[in-house]
């Protein structure tokens, strides 16, 4: 009986690994299709390896596990979603992550984007405004063995000044404009990706690159649809 269970479990794990490999191929195909917009023909080897490794099925609600490796967003409860894997990969690539980098994420949600980043950079700080989600992600990521992710419950509009400056910032909820505090907490030469636009309306994934003189370049990368970044109280 126990043996049968173990075998079944192992078969399940292999199946998820195979599904993950197919997801990597699908995301790669989406990169090729969107190349004209993003300027990126292919995933970087680092991001590809992370996507092939992070167990997305362990970060979605149990009932969604069979859908975990589709290239789609999924509901994670409390009206929030885990982003589409293509967007998670692209956001990681746009900040050009390096192994020694310290990165801030705004909008922890399921913890998936944080895990992808944590596979690549040295430390990830992530802020979530909904306590239930932040605590759940913290627990799940710990179980997955990520010791380089720190989660705080709070308002991401203000960033995390005590841990700044950041080499990269990934915002995973849409804001009507780029929060000033986040630009301030970016290191010169650092990059930030943020969906900018009205909730439910047209949004663009925007890439901000901070210059050495403190100013910044801004480029709209592609149209997206994210849940809104809610203003803190
Ligand atoms: N990165 C997530 C996707 C999360 S969806 C993932 O990989 O699963 C966006 C998240 O941003 C939601 O969990 C939402 O609660 C959170 N959020 C919204 N406004 C916020 C704010 N002002 N500060 C921090 N988090 C916020």
């Amino acid at each position: 009986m126990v043996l049968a269970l173990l075998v079944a479990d192992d078969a399940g794990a292999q199946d998820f690994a195979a599904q993950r490999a197919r997801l990597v191929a699908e995301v790669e195909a989406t990169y090729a299709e969107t190349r004209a917009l993003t300027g990126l023909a292919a995933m970087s080897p680092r991001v590809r390896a992370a996507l092939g490794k992070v167990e997305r099925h362990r970060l979605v609600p149990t009932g969604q596990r069979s859908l975990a490796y589709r290239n789609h967003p999924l509901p994670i409860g409390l009206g929030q979603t885990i982003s589409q894997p293509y967007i998670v990969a692209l956001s990681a690539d746009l900040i050009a992550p390096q192994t020694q980098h310290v990165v801030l994420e705004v909008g922890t949600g399921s913890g998936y984007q944080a895990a992808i980043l944590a596979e690549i950079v040295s430390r990830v700080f992530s802020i979530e405004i909904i306590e239930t989600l932040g605590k759940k992600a913290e627990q799940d990521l710990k179980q997955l063995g990520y010791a380089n992710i720190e989660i705080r419950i709070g308002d991401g509009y203000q960033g995390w000044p005590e841990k700044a400056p950041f080499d990269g910032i990934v915002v995973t909820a849409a804001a009507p404009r780029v929060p000033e505090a986040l630009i301030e907490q970016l290191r010169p030469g650092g990059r930030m990706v943020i969906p900018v636009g009205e909730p439910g309306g047209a949004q663009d994934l925007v890439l901000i690159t901070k210059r050495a003189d403190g100013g910044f370049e801004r480029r709209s990368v592609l149209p997206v649809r994210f849940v809104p970044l809610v203003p803190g109280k």
Side-chain angles (χ1 to χ4, degrees):
M1 194 57 205
V2 169
L3 191 66
L5 267 176
L6 280 175
V7 169
D9 211 44
D10 194 43
Q14 279 175 23
D15 191 42
F16 281 131
Q19 288 182 31
R20 218 161 30 242
R22 281 197 294 275
L23 173 67
V24 171
E26 244 183 85
V27 170
E28 199 71 89
T30 313
Y31 264 65
E33 284 161 19
T34 53
R35 173 187 193 162
L37 288 172
T38 64
L40 297 175
M43 261 185 285
S44 64
R46 284 172 185 168
V47 171
R48 188 187 304 114
L51 203 68
K53 190 170 168 205
V54 178
E55 297 185 292
R56 193 173 191 252
H57 69 278
R58 292 174 66 179
L59 294 168
V60 300
T62 324
Q64 303 281 351
R65 281 193 168 182
S66 62
L67 303 174
Y69 294 106
R70 304 233 176 132
N71 192 15
H72 287 304
L74 286 171
I76 54 170
L78 297 153
Q80 303 306 319
T81 52
I82 177 171
S83 310
Q84 180 192 9
Y86 161 67
I87 294 292
V88 172
L90 182 67
S91 300
D93 262 330
L94 287 171
I95 63 162
Q98 309 291 317
T99 48
Q100 75 283 7
H101 278 181
V102 177
V103 168
L104 173 72
E105 181 196 21
V106 174
T108 315
S110 67
Y112 182 62
Q113 176 86 67
I116 292 287
L117 292 166
E119 288 286 346
I120 303 167
V121 304
S122 76
R123 294 194 77 185
V124 177
F125 294 96
S126 185
I127 310 175
E128 171 57 55
I129 205 162
I130 302 179
E131 183 165 11
T132 322
L133 287 178
K135 293 286 175 217
K136 173 81 167 71
E138 192 169 47
Q139 203 179 19
D140 289 348
L141 291 168
K142 202 170 167 187
Q143 251 170 36
L144 288 176
Y146 292 101
N148 59 342
I149 302 173
E150 199 177 318
I151 293 170
R152 200 187 80 181
I153 307 301
D155 177 15
Y157 263 101
Q158 311 307 324
W160 196 329
E162 299 81 6
K163 307 292 183 186
F166 302 103
D167 300 290
I169 300 180
V170 176
V171 183
T172 66
R177 63 195 65 80
V178 182
E180 196 63 38
L182 296 183
I183 296 181
E184 265 165 36
Q185 291 171 32
L186 207 52
R187 189 188 297 284
R191 294 165 178 231
M192 163 161 60
V193 277
I194 175 167
V196 179
E198 295 307 322
Q203 303 165 1
D204 269 329
L205 194 64
V206 168
L207 174 65
I208 305 274
T209 308
K210 193 163 177 177
R211 293 192 308 249
D213 68 4
F216 61 90
E217 318 288 343
R218 176 186 171 134
R219 170 165 84 93
S220 284
V221 180
L222 84 169
V224 286
R225 188 176 284 265
F226 275 82
V227 297
L229 191 68
V230 298
K233 294 169 194 85

